[in-house]
Amino acid sequence: MGFEADNDPGETPGFEFEEVEAREEPASPHRWWRWGTTLRSRYSLRINTERHLERHLIDRLPNLPKVGWFLSIWLLLIFLLLITLLLQIRSLTAHYTVLLPDRGGTYTEGLVGRATNFNPIYASTEVDRSVAKLVFANLFDYDQDNRLRPVLAESLEANEKAQQYTVRLKAGLRWHDGEELDADDVVFTIRTIKNPDAQSPLRVNWEGVSVDKVDDLTVKFTLPAAFSPFGANLVLPVLPEHLLASENVKQLRDADFNYRPVGSGPFVFERLVSLGGGGIDDKEFRIRLARNTDWPHPGLDGAAPLLDSFHFWVVPTAERLTELFNQGQISGAFNLSEEDISLDSADWRAVDLNLMNGVYLFFKNSSPRLQDASLRRALISALDIAVLLDSLDRKTQRIFGPLLPEHDGYDAGARPPGFDPGLTRSLLEAAGWQRARGGWSKDDQTLLLTLTTQKDTPYETLAREIKRQLAEAGIKVELDLRPAESVPLEILQNHNYGDMLIYGINLGGDADVYSYWHSSQVDSNSTLRLNLSEYQSGLADEALEVARSRNDAAERRERYGDFQRVWMDDLPALALYRFRLTYYTLRHVSGPRDNTLVIDNSDRFTDVSDWAVNQRRRTVERPGGSVD
């Protein structure tokens, strides 16, 4: 059987292919069912959503005010809880931390007065002494227990006779310009003060004292006689020999150094700037000091100052000073009156510093009437001291005798008679005085006394009150008021005053009050002539002489006790009070501490390393290191 081959090459024999158009197949009835189910589900979901919205939101809209109040109460409670929590945290922070002075910043102190000479051997004004105190360091200073403490010095030794003293300096001392400070500088300072051509007011303290260099760090002082209070002389700033040795000593008072000083203290002098115009009496100045980065010197106690700089703003009047304080432009000052401070009481504070001075009613013992000790006692018992002190507008502290409580040998039991008009009358009658309508008289002479003091000062206020009180006791007093400029020559040197004198004296750190009460200081030829009562007593003289010639502390205390008892028997004067120096600062400022002991106003800087204008909160720790 045969076949014809009628196929193209490549085709598969026996298979025939037909090309047709593609057509959609009809939908399966199962697919239509699935689509319907989906549509029904979506519709049902929409219906249910609308129902839920209507049920849970729209239908509940009328209840929204109630929900709002409920929500507000909860929000308020949450807010109160947060406030309570914040207050608690703040309270705990205050309990466990404390604001303490911090480093940095500039302290600006306001001063009334004039800047004339910053050289410490010439400094006379308040401004001069304040600048010198910060720029120059002393050999010694007094601490708050009124004991000598070394500053530049390392030690002080005295021989048994209290006639030779040896001071050894600390090693590594330097001037602000980087030069070494050594024994040559100390010897140079003393010899310059002693030189009459230098005209230093400190010369009187060094008469008869010789000074010699032992080695680079040791200086020896030899006195003409025993003098146990000599240590007080060593509260002395030192001058740089390398800068002043070439100066003509006769012209030293006018040297450029005095206005651009180089010292060794905690602050470095930068410059003096004049603020604005005006005459010499109306000018204001700013004196700029920078922290001495090398302070304290090696071996010195204490710490570096917290302040970066210290400025003085010098003004001509107390009114201008008060204006600056009220504006917050100065950090602190002491020439202020509280009633003139307009700042809120929370924005400022005041501290009181104890001055080592005393204001006395001196009786001129050489006056014919006041030679009688019973009359002096009668005058004292006629005075109510509490009322006297209340008449003053300054803070004061009552004193009772020739020494202060801080002095060695002070006898707290030695007191004058108190206010007792009956005692006044009996003492006067026993002395032969008779009371009449015109007062007290004796031998046809009326008891009339003259009281001298400075006018326009607190002393004048006291004088007027004393006159009033004595008048109530029938004792007549005439006031002799003098201008302040007459005091140094007429009163202190010539003793040109009436029967009584009101005046203040600086009692110093040592209990040696020889200059004020020893008989030799009545003589017009004496160096100081500061025995203003013209008091003469052999027993008092002996006690003072022995006390200053002994090196034994116990014996000195005993002798000063003897002196006070003699003084109270004789009553050559009435001790009234000592002023307390009130220092004002802005509240955030750390200045001098309350009750700081100051011999001179410039001693307010005793703790200047702790002064600050910045504060930082720090954690308080209990003993042992645990947080309080």
Side-chain angles (χ1 to χ4, degrees), residues 53-74:
L53 285 173
E54 184 176 357
R55 178 182 177 186
H56 294 289
L57 182 61
I58 296 173
D59 289 349
R60 295 189 179 188
L61 285 177
N63 296 328
L64 188 60
K66 296 180 181 179
V67 174
W69 281 109
F70 182 77
L71 182 62
S72 298
I73 292 172
W74 273 104

Side-chain angles (χ1 to χ4, degrees), residues 351-471:
V351 297
D352 292 322
L353 315 181
N354 294 323
L355 289 167
M356 296 291 284
N357 64 14
V359 176
Y360 291 81
L361 175 62
F362 294 98
F363 302 124
K364 184 180 277 188
N365 287 206
S366 60
S367 173
R369 291 198 174 92
L370 291 178
Q371 289 178 357
D372 184 0
S374 64
L375 177 56
R376 300 196 295 268
R377 187 173 293 273
L379 293 172
I380 291 173
S381 60
L383 296 174
D384 188 336
I385 307 301
V387 174
L388 276 176
L389 300 189
D390 285 343
S391 69
L392 299 172
D393 60 355
R394 293 183 58 180
K395 294 181 180 179
T396 62
Q397 184 180 65
R398 176 73 198 278
I399 60 173
F400 298 94
L403 299 181
L404 298 176
E406 294 85 359
H407 285 136
D408 271 346
Y410 175 76
D411 184 355
R415 300 287 176 94
F419 176 56
D420 187 348
L423 177 61
T424 299
R425 174 179 289 274
S426 62
L427 287 171
L428 290 174
E429 290 175 347
W433 295 94
Q434 296 180 343
R435 182 73 184 265
R437 180 174 298 178
W440 293 90
S441 62
K442 180 180 179 181
D443 299 331
D444 297 327
Q445 292 186 349
T446 301
L447 181 55
L448 174 63
L449 301 171
T450 302
L451 173 56
T452 303
T453 196
Q454 293 171 287
K455 65 179 179 180
D456 301 325
T457 67
Y459 300 157
E460 179 181 345
T461 304
L462 280 175
R464 295 191 181 281
E465 179 60 22
I466 288 173
K467 177 180 179 178
R468 185 193 68 79
Q469 290 192 22
L470 290 180

Side-chain angles (χ1 to χ4, degrees), residues 279-340:
I280 188 65
D281 294 330
D282 300 322
K283 276 187 176 294
E284 295 184 10
F285 298 90
R286 200 174 183 97
I287 301 166
R288 299 180 178 177
L289 312 179
R291 177 170 59 89
N292 179 8
T293 56
D294 292 330
W295 184 272
H297 297 304
L300 264 65
D301 296 330
L306 295 174
L307 297 166
D308 287 336
S309 56
F310 198 108
H311 292 181
F312 291 101
W313 193 327
V314 183
V315 298
T317 64
E319 290 75 18
R320 173 59 175 156
L321 187 70
T322 303
E323 179 185 355
L324 292 175
F325 188 77
N326 288 333
Q327 293 172 354
Q329 296 194 60
I330 57 176
S331 309
F334 64 85
N335 299 95
L336 298 175
S337 178
E338 287 193 14
E339 55 264 26
D340 296 327

Side-chain angles (χ1 to χ4, degrees), residues 119 122 188 192 195 197-198 239-260:
N119 187 323
Y122 295 119
F188 172 79
T192 300
N195 191 328
D197 292 335
L239 296 176
E241 182 190 30
H242 69 282
L243 294 177
L244 294 175
S246 60
E247 295 282 348
N248 185 333
V249 70
K250 292 183 178 180
Q251 299 172 355
L252 185 58
R253 183 180 282 272
D254 299 318
D256 289 342
F257 173 89
N258 302 337
Y259 311 101
R260 289 190 294 272

Side-chain angles (χ1 to χ4, degrees), residues 456-502:
D456 301 325
T457 67
Y459 300 157
E460 179 181 345
T461 304
L462 280 175
R464 295 191 181 281
E465 179 60 22
I466 288 173
K467 177 180 179 178
R468 185 193 68 79
Q469 290 192 22
L470 290 180
E472 290 184 352
I475 302 170
K476 296 182 177 181
V477 174
E478 289 183 350
L479 298 184
D480 172 24
L481 303 177
R482 308 280 186 88
E485 57 269 19
S486 70
V487 170
L489 182 61
E490 293 184 20
I491 294 181
L492 301 186
Q493 185 172 337
N494 296 330
H495 286 204
N496 179 19
Y497 48 87
D499 303 290
M500 300 181 289
L501 169 70
I502 298 175

